[in-house]
Amino acid sequence: MTSCIIKLESHSSNRTVTSIFSMGRTSDAKEKLLSVAFDLIHESSYGTVSVDQICGRARVNKGSFYYFFKTKTDLVVAAYEEHWRLKESNYERIFSR
């Protein structure tokens, strides 16, 4: 859960009140989008996969998609970078023999 601390100052009573507001649950939308985008593009191709398909399979609304990524290309680059990051140590181990 993400929290936000807001400092409210009351000038009439010369005191400061600090409040913590909950900003909702931590979302796994970005991770879902990265995973689904990689899988869909691997299954077919970049050109045939739409943002709507990615969001639908990831069960993430389109607003969340555009919160994390400006374009489908940005998502795909991030998805392949994440895939490489997760696999890199295995490849290094295999090919360093």
Side-chain angles (χ1 to χ4, degrees):
M1 182 172 294
T2 305
S3 297
C4 179
I5 299 175
I6 298 176
K7 191 175 189 178
L8 303 171
E9 295 183 23
S10 172
H11 297 288
S12 61
S13 62
N14 290 329
R15 57 187 191 125
T16 300
V17 177
T18 301
S19 299
I20 299 175
F21 297 94
S22 171
M23 299 301 286
R25 66 178 179 81
T26 302
S27 174
D28 59 350
K30 186 174 183 179
E31 290 76 18
K32 287 180 183 178
L33 290 166
L34 291 169
S35 176
V36 166
F38 183 87
D39 291 345
L40 281 174
I41 290 166
H42 182 73
E43 291 169 11
S44 52
S45 71
Y46 175 84
T48 62
V49 175
S50 69
V51 170
D52 286 332
Q53 288 173 305
I54 294 167
C55 290
R57 183 166 311 170
R59 295 184 179 172
V60 170
N61 67 46
K62 218 170 181 179
S64 293
F65 173 90
Y66 288 109
Y67 175 80
F68 294 112
F69 306 101
K70 282 185 170 184
T71 65
K72 181 175 84 169
T73 302
D74 291 340
L75 167 62
V76 172
V77 168
Y80 275 80
E81 287 175 346
E82 179 66 7
H83 179 76
W84 173 252
R85 187 187 69 74
L86 294 172
K87 302 291 183 182
E88 183 178 17
S89 63
N90 288 335
Y91 292 142
E92 286 178 358
R93 184 179 45 79
I94 291 168
F95 292 112
S96 67
R97 293 180 182 180

